[in-house]
Amino acid sequence: MNKRAVVVVDLQNEYLPTGKLALTGIHAALANAARVIADARTRGDLIIHIRHESTDPDAPVFTPGTAAVQIHDTVAPEHGEQVIVKNFPNAFLKTNLKELLDDEGIEAVTVIGAMSHMCIDATTRAATDFGYKTTVVHDACATRDLEFGGTTVPAAQVHAAFMSALAYAYASLLSTDDYLAG
């Protein structure tokens, strides 16, 4: 059987309605992520929490030292769970994530968190490129409306587009219920 890790990406206060980058569906994603994390704890899977911070102390978002960069209480790390601070969308870039996974003999990675179109996409693609069997729990992820060329793309369409792209060649995509049943 594969040794599995759950990588909890950027479920931080900045993404709540009180933050500067409120995400559509963040509360549902947090609730589903909490279920995935609880299951991982019961199974003894490795859980790694990723927390994004800007490198600029005056950044308008993800400002170091603020409450906005803290992991939301719903999915807060428990004693002994690793927390990695990252500065780029890809959680592997210039962090020790791969080293932690490899040191634990991890073969399969489950990715949950925010934002679907940025850090979930970048981290999932990198995990697969590094050879991990990768799963994304799609309803434990959230995103926001995006704008391009004067057109606003609703969050649901952004999420669907990125999840379908990941499902095409990078990961297995499951709902929380299906993931927990498997």
Side-chain angles (χ1 to χ4, degrees):
M1 180 165 166
N2 290 339
K3 283 194 75 178
R4 180 170 64 183
V6 174
V7 179
V8 184
V9 180
D10 300 351
L11 286 176
Q12 297 167 252
N13 294 330
E14 191 76 270
Y15 289 132
L16 296 174
T18 54
K20 294 178 183 170
L21 288 173
L23 302 184
T24 300
I26 188 61
H27 292 294
L30 282 165
N32 286 327
R35 293 173 59 206
V36 170
I37 293 166
D39 178 71
R41 288 174 178 147
T42 299
R43 293 176 182 271
D45 291 342
L46 179 66
I47 302 168
I48 300 174
H49 301 265
I50 308 296
R51 188 168 64 81
H52 190 88
E53 273 191 19
S54 175
T55 56
D56 178 357
D58 297 318
V61 294
F62 295 106
T63 309
T66 66
V69 298
Q70 297 308 308
I71 295 171
H72 191 269
D73 290 343
T74 305
V75 294
E78 288 189 353
H79 180 73
E81 292 175 354
Q82 294 283 332
V83 177
I84 295 174
V85 175
K86 69 174 180 61
N87 308 117
F88 302 96
N90 176 355
F92 289 91
L93 184 61
K94 297 186 180 184
T95 71
N96 66 335
L97 177 56
K98 185 175 185 324
E99 180 183 332
L100 285 172
L101 295 172
D102 291 348
D103 286 351
E104 293 292 327
I106 298 300
E107 299 171 3
V109 173
T110 299
V111 180
I112 58 177
M115 293 186 288
S116 305
H117 71 280
M118 287 292 292
C119 302
I120 298 303
D121 181 62
T123 299
T124 299
R125 290 172 188 257
T128 300
D129 288 346
F130 281 128
Y132 301 107
K133 181 180 180 210
T134 308
T135 300
V136 175
V137 181
H138 63 81
D139 58 358
C141 298
T143 195
R144 61 195 311 247
D145 293 354
L146 295 180
E147 186 274 328
F148 179 75
T151 300
T152 298
V153 183
Q157 290 178 9
V158 172
H159 184 75
F162 277 84
M163 294 300 110
S164 65
L166 291 175
Y168 184 77
Y170 283 94
S172 296
L173 276 279
L174 296 172
S175 68
T176 300
D177 289 341
D178 289 343
Y179 180 80
L180 296 176

